[in-house]
């Protein structure tokens, strides 16, 4: 078996520089050169996974097909690479400690004192090597969350230092991402923060091999040379990452900067074939040259932080490009929608989405939103909680079931049209206990969803505890809301539609997680198409 090569991506100066996008872009280029690549994210926080985090903390929780609740960067990895990730691709400090403590309880350490070094660092190294061990990948890119110098990322940096020493510089390189600020007063790009950040990394025992500099202005030769000299890297290994209008342009920019070739050379690998980016560039062209445009309202309760709906926004970018359409997405807070203002707040949109979510806050605003879309024949797409709201709205306003609700919101609802799943009734712990990951869905031939997928059976990812209450199945069907997607094993309703409506689809699953640049999700594509027609 060929030896696996490791690339580590660290960040300095500030957070939010886009390590995830740089990692995904580099992976894309290496993949386009014929290498099998995967990306892993190490998160320094103590939660075992981000599943229990409020979306305001770290943005959306991304769900992999094997049911792991992970960091949203994994979404970028999948959207760029078109290759599924799994639990092993996201490790947190909480998970590392959990596993070390479990070993200690089992007596695996044979009476030794358990310490950060070597036990925690060994566990980190084990997690890194685990991704590369299956023989599926030639290159593993590991992104270290946080910023160099943070107390909590120290064990990760130490693990990287040790791995470099163990595997040798040809098998393991470090890319450090920093910021080069532009001072308007003096009209200059400043390299000192980068120099300090590299010094910090050096103090922790790591000499970076490549520097990627985030900047608002093009780097001059002088700046590049200065950074190379003072940070002790080759001139060719100083890479500019200038602000661009879309993240999907970053791979093309990184190719121009020859990041892929520099990395391959340092790893002692051949350049492979010329990167096949034709489809990618075609997507970019369509994205930048739309023929139509649609205005879509997304109603949810985490709208203050756009990252909370990252995968949905990205899925609309993919579906927009597929339709040569600019999708203007407006986030509307469901708590701000009430009986008095909903017509005005929702006026003028070509389509309406009710977003996933948890708990009662803003729920009536979401139900009113569904009502508005349904009664005005506006294309409607309800995702997870959005689908549940559509069911509640239909029960109350079409079927006359007063007091219809989800038992998540009202456990004593007179008509519990959405109810806790049977297997959830005995669950007491919050972390990792929802119905998570991929399940099959059988689709009714001829339904709107079928017209999108052109398939009778699909697999989609999930993250929920409540479901359509099948006691009401016949009533809904008779009243004109069609359950047209079901899980064949459990009978759980996965999709509802209103056939008399222009385009009204509610899905219990999360189609947004599996939309990628090269494989835009059929339901998003179909929904955008319906919005254009309107
Ligand atoms: N809160 C709902 C449930 O648990 C919906 C979840 C979601 O939208 N992801 O079933």
């Amino acid at each position: 078996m060929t030896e696996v090569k490791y690339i580590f991506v660290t960040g300095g100066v500030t957070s939010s520089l886009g390590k995830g996008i740089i990692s995904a872009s580099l992976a894309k280029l290496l993949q386009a050169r014929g290498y099998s690549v995967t990306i892993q994210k190490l998160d320094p926080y103590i939660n075992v996974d981000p599943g229990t985090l409020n979306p305001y903390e770290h943005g959306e929780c991304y769900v992999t097909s094997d049911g792991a609740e992970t960091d949203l960067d994994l979404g970028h990895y999948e959207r760029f690479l078109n290759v599924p990730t799994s639990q092993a691709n996201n490790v947190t400090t909480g998970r590392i400690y959990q596993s070390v403590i479990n070993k200690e309880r089992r007596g695996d350490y044979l009476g030794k004192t358990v310490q950060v070094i070597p036990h925690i660092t060994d566990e980190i190294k084990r997690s890194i090597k685990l991704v590369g061990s299956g023989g599926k990948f030639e290159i593993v890119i590991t992104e270290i969350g946080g910023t160099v110098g943070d107390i909590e990322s120290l064990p990760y940096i130490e693990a990287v230092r040790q791995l470099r020493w163990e595997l040798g510089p040809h098998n393991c390189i470090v890319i450090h991402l920093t910021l080069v600020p532009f001072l308007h007063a003096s009209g200059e790009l400043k390299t000192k923060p980068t120099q300090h950040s590299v010094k910090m990394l050096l103090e922790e025992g790591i000499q970076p091999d490549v520097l990627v500099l985030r900047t608002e202005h093009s780097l001059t030769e002088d700046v590049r040379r200065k950074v190379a000299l003072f940070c002790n890297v080759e001139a060719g290994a100083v890479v500019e990452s200038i602000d661009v209008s879309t993240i999907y342009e970053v791979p093309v920019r990184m190719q121009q900067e020859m990041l892929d070739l520099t990395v391959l050379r340092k790893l002692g690998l051949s350049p492979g074939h010329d990167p096949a980016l034709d489809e990618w560039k075609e997507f970019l062209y369509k994205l930048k040259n739309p023929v139509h445009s649609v205005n879509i309202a997304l109603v949810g309760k985490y709208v203050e932080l756009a990252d909370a709906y990252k995968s949905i926004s990205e899925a609309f970018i993919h579906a927009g490009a597929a339709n040569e359409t600019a999708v203007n997405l407006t986030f509307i807070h469901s708590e701000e929608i009430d009986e008095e203002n909903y017509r005005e707040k929702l006026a003028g949109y070509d389509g309406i989405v009710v977003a996933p979510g948890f708990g009662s806050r803003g729920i009536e605003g979401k139900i009113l939103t569904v009502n508005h879309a349904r009664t005005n024949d506006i294309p409607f797409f309800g995702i997870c909680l959005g689908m549940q709201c559509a069911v509640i709205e239909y029960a109350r306003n079409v079927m006359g079931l007063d007091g219809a609700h989800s038992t998540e919101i009202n456990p004593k609802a007179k008509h519990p049209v959405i109810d806790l799943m049977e297997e959830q009734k005995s669950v007491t712990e919050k972390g990792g206990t929802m119905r998570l990951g991929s399940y099959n869905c059988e689709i009714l031939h001829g339904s709107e969803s079928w017209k999108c997928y052109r398939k009778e059976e699909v697999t989609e990812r999930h993250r929920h505890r409540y479901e359509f209450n099948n006691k009401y199945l016949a009533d809904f069907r008779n009243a004109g809301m069609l359950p047209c997607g079901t899980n064949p094993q459990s009978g759980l309703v996965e999709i509802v539609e209103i056939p008399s409506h222009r385009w009204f689809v509610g899905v219990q699953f999360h189609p947004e997680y599996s939309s990628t640049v090269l494989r835009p999700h059929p339901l998003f594509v179909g929904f955008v198409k319906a919005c254009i027609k309107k």
Side-chain angles (χ1 to χ4, degrees):
M1 205 182 76
T2 51
E3 233 171 334
V4 182
K5 306 276 185 172
Y6 293 89
I7 301 170
F8 293 97
V9 179
T10 58
V13 184
T14 82
S15 56
S16 307
L17 286 180
K19 289 193 294 275
I21 303 297
I22 291 294
S23 304
S25 300
L26 172 61
K28 178 82 221 161
L29 292 175
L30 298 175
Q31 186 193 51
R33 285 188 177 275
Y35 288 97
S36 53
V37 191
T38 191
I39 319 181
Q40 178 188 42
K41 170 96 191 265
L42 304 181
D43 274 312
Y45 52 72
I46 297 173
N47 305 65
V48 173
D49 61 44
T52 52
L53 284 173
N54 187 313
Y56 287 130
E57 296 279 320
H58 281 271
E60 135 191 307
C61 169
Y62 183 78
V63 179
T64 59
S65 64
D66 70 341
E69 297 179 288
T70 71
D71 185 79
L72 59 77
D73 271 342
L74 270 75
H76 290 310
Y77 306 161
E78 291 203 13
R79 289 188 280 273
F80 276 61
L81 294 185
N82 222 357
V83 174
T85 54
S86 70
Q87 178 64 72
N89 294 74
N90 190 197
V91 176
T92 67
T93 295
R95 192 169 290 275
I96 297 285
Y97 271 79
Q98 189 179 50
S99 130
V100 168
I101 291 169
N102 287 344
K103 286 183 188 167
E104 186 273 336
R105 292 288 85 182
R106 276 203 311 264
D108 291 4
Y109 295 116
L110 305 173
K112 285 270 182 232
T113 308
V114 182
Q115 294 179 294
V116 172
I117 297 168
H119 302 101
I120 294 297
T121 44
D122 279 353
E123 191 63 29
I124 295 173
K125 287 193 283 180
R126 201 186 59 80
S127 305
I128 295 168
K129 287 183 180 162
L130 182 70
V131 202
S133 66
K136 277 206 301 210
F137 303 106
E138 292 156 292
I139 302 174
V140 176
I141 301 180
T142 298
E143 176 194 344
I144 317 275
T147 309
V148 167
D150 293 348
I151 290 177
E152 52 210 24
S153 56
L154 273 173
Y156 291 100
I157 302 290
E158 169 60 13
V160 172
R161 188 196 65 75
Q162 292 184 17
L163 269 178
R164 250 162 92 83
W165 182 84
E166 287 167 23
L167 301 171
H170 277 307
N171 293 320
C172 189
I173 63 165
V174 174
I175 298 177
H176 189 55
L177 180 62
T178 72
L179 176 71
V180 179
F182 180 76
L183 283 194
H184 286 275
S186 59
E188 279 177 306
L189 286 164
K190 291 297 191 187
T191 64
K192 201 58 67 90
T194 297
Q195 296 180 41
H196 281 301
S197 174
V198 171
K199 288 232 163 68
M200 186 101 67
L201 204 50
L202 281 167
E203 266 171 37
E204 294 171 12
I206 293 179
Q207 165 66 55
D209 302 279
V210 178
L211 292 175
V212 176
L213 311 184
R214 262 304 286 276
T215 173
E216 287 175 53
H217 298 273
S218 219
L219 303 178
T220 59
E221 268 319 303
D222 191 44
V223 167
R224 288 185 195 246
R225 202 188 42 82
K226 200 163 156 190
V227 170
L229 175 66
F230 293 120
C231 299
N232 215 13
V233 299
E234 288 173 27
V238 177
V239 169
E240 168 188 294
S241 170
I242 198 160
D243 291 359
V244 280
S245 59
T246 157
I247 54 171
Y248 298 112
E249 192 167 326
V250 180
V252 179
R253 295 293 178 126
M254 289 305 111
Q255 189 186 11
Q256 285 161 359
E257 288 285 309
M258 297 196 286
L259 175 61
D260 49 343
L261 290 175
T262 305
V263 160
L264 289 172
R265 181 169 44 79
K266 288 187 181 287
L267 289 171
L269 294 172
S270 85
H273 48 69
D274 257 352
L277 286 178
D278 297 351
E279 272 185 282
W280 190 273
K281 286 183 180 161
E282 192 187 322
F283 157 80
L284 264 184
Y285 180 82
K286 285 189 184 164
L287 183 63
K288 290 182 174 178
N289 300 282
V291 181
H292 320 276
S293 107
V294 292
N295 296 318
I296 294 177
L298 181 140
V299 177
K301 69 168 178 177
Y302 310 114
V303 297
E304 296 91 335
L305 185 73
D307 270 1
Y309 299 113
K310 196 75 203 163
S311 292
I312 296 181
S313 313
E314 298 305 315
F316 273 118
I317 293 176
H318 310 151
N323 282 298
E324 295 182 82
T325 299
V327 176
N328 309 312
L329 202 56
T330 306
F331 294 93
I332 302 178
H333 204 301
S334 51
E335 265 186 320
E336 283 163 15
I337 293 178
D338 57 35
E339 286 279 359
E340 257 82 78
N341 67 15
Y342 75 99
R343 284 184 201 84
E344 180 199 333
K345 284 234 179 232
L346 298 168
Y349 291 104
D350 306 305
I352 292 177
V353 179
V354 173
F358 295 85
S360 60
R361 194 163 65 89
I363 195 87
E364 292 302 327
K366 290 185 176 178
I367 295 170
L368 270 173
T369 302
V370 179
N371 178 267
H372 181 78
R374 182 177 61 76
T375 54
N376 292 288
D377 209 27
I378 301 167
F380 170 83
F381 196 11
I383 304 177
C384 207
L385 182 63
M387 170 265 196
Q388 298 177 352
C389 288
V391 169
I392 297 165
E393 194 278 329
Y394 208 78
R396 287 184 189 175
N397 300 325
V398 178
M399 295 156 68
L401 301 180
D402 285 343
H405 220 322
S406 161
T407 52
E408 177 181 8
I409 321 295
N410 178 7
K412 295 204 177 81
K414 189 161 152 223
H415 289 290
V417 289
I418 301 293
D419 201 7
L420 193 62
M421 282 180 275
E422 198 51 44
E423 73 258 28
Q424 286 288 326
K425 292 188 176 153
S426 55
V427 171
T428 49
E429 292 212 350
K430 286 268 184 281
T433 53
M434 283 187 245
R435 178 172 179 252
L436 289 166
S438 287
Y439 288 91
N440 289 347
C441 168
E442 273 175 8
I443 297 178
L444 186 72
H445 189 96
S447 62
E448 207 60 72
S449 310
W450 179 86
K451 285 181 201 153
C452 296
Y453 286 108
R454 297 278 154 183
K455 268 194 223 166
E456 267 89 41
E457 177 139 1
V458 298
T459 301
E460 292 284 1
R461 301 183 201 180
H462 298 74
R463 184 171 189 247
H464 65 123
R465 294 187 201 281
Y466 293 81
E467 64 174 334
F468 181 99
N469 185 343
N470 275 338
K471 284 188 194 125
Y472 292 89
L473 201 62
D475 298 339
F476 273 92
R477 200 174 299 214
N478 294 336
M481 178 175 259
L482 196 63
C484 57
T486 25
N487 173 263
Q489 282 78 37
S490 64
L492 182 139
V493 172
E494 296 276 9
I495 308 177
V496 296
E497 290 182 10
I498 303 176
S500 60
H501 188 281
R502 181 195 296 270
W503 204 95
F504 190 106
V505 177
V507 292
Q508 184 57 76
F509 49 81
H510 290 266
E512 69 275 22
Y513 292 143
S514 51
S515 183
T516 72
V517 166
L518 300 186
R519 236 186 298 129
H521 195 284
L523 289 177
F524 279 89
V525 175
F527 175 59
V528 170
K529 207 168 263 153
C531 298
I532 303 170
K533 279 199 200 139
K534 179 172 179 293

